[in-house]
Amino acid sequence: MEGGCCSTSGRVYHETQVMSMCGVHCLNTLLQANAFNEVDLAQIAHELDRREREVMAEGGITSEDYLKFVAADSQNVSDEGNFSIQVLAEALKMYSVTPKPWRNGQSEPHLQSAFICNLREHWFTIRRLGGQWYNLNSLASTPEKITDFYLSAYLGQLSTEKYTIFVV
């Protein structure tokens, strides 16, 4: 994410948690704008569900796999409003941003622009803005400044705690 897609004009855009909309908050803080809402992401999730059903139907609509698939709940959005990485990635395509898996131990995380992190249906962003790193977790009331040194340690801690981390 080369310097980000949106300017901040000196302010850090932050959203606080509303219901289970952390995927929405994660994307908006990443993009530093009110770019998405839950309806936008739900539409993306339902479109992904539709495409997945089409692919599964190619094996026959009476096949055991297809019947299990259509009987199961969506893997792209839960009833509570939690969204999958596939939904977030599809939304980010509109901004030419692609999340890629980050592995603990990769060198020099401070040279990246941003990370999105997930654990048990909670998403949040860690983002560099104007040369300063911020933890933009929507569970916090304000953004938290992070030093380059702490960024590396924090990503290591998150990885140890089994977070899934994507670099963007």
Side-chain angles (χ1 to χ4, degrees):
M1 196 169 142
E2 295 299 315
C5 72
C6 305
S7 68
T8 62
S9 65
R11 289 190 47 206
V12 176
Y13 182 86
H14 183 257
E15 296 181 351
T16 55
Q17 188 76 22
V18 175
M19 298 172 29
S20 294
M21 297 296 127
C22 55
V24 173
H25 304 313
C26 176
L27 292 182
N28 289 342
T29 57
L30 174 69
L31 299 171
Q32 286 294 285
N34 186 13
F36 295 102
N37 61 42
E38 62 274 11
V39 173
D40 298 328
L41 296 189
Q43 288 173 339
I44 292 169
H46 294 305
E47 175 59 20
L48 290 172
D49 288 343
R50 184 193 64 75
R51 286 191 242 158
E52 290 168 3
R53 272 192 306 278
E54 283 180 3
V55 169
M56 291 299 293
E58 290 173 4
I61 61 171
T62 58
S63 72
E64 186 177 334
D65 288 340
Y66 180 78
L67 294 174
K68 281 182 186 176
F69 179 80
V70 295
D73 291 334
S74 171
Q75 296 298 302
N76 293 304
V77 60
S78 72
D79 290 339
E80 294 81 29
N82 295 305
F83 298 97
S84 69
I85 183 59
Q86 291 80 6
V87 172
L88 275 60
E90 191 70 19
L92 289 171
K93 283 182 183 178
M94 296 177 211
Y95 293 88
S96 300
V97 175
T98 304
K100 296 180 175 105
W102 175 266
R103 303 284 177 245
N104 189 31
Q106 284 183 254
S107 63
E108 305 183 285
H110 65 280
L111 297 178
Q112 305 300 321
S113 295
F115 299 89
I116 55 177
C117 308
N118 176 264
L119 180 67
R120 291 190 284 280
E121 300 182 341
H122 180 66
W123 291 99
F124 69 94
T125 299
I126 301 170
R127 175 101 155 69
R128 183 168 34 102
L129 299 162
Q132 173 67 57
W133 282 97
Y134 292 90
N135 179 349
L136 300 170
N137 193 331
S138 61
L139 294 177
S141 59
T142 60
E144 174 191 5
K145 287 184 178 181
I146 299 175
T147 65
D148 286 356
F149 173 77
Y150 184 69
L151 172 68
S152 183
Y154 187 48
L155 290 171
Q157 174 190 342
L158 293 175
S159 183
T160 299
E161 293 174 9
K162 304 297 184 209
Y163 276 77
T164 303
I165 303 169
F166 298 89
V167 62
V168 289

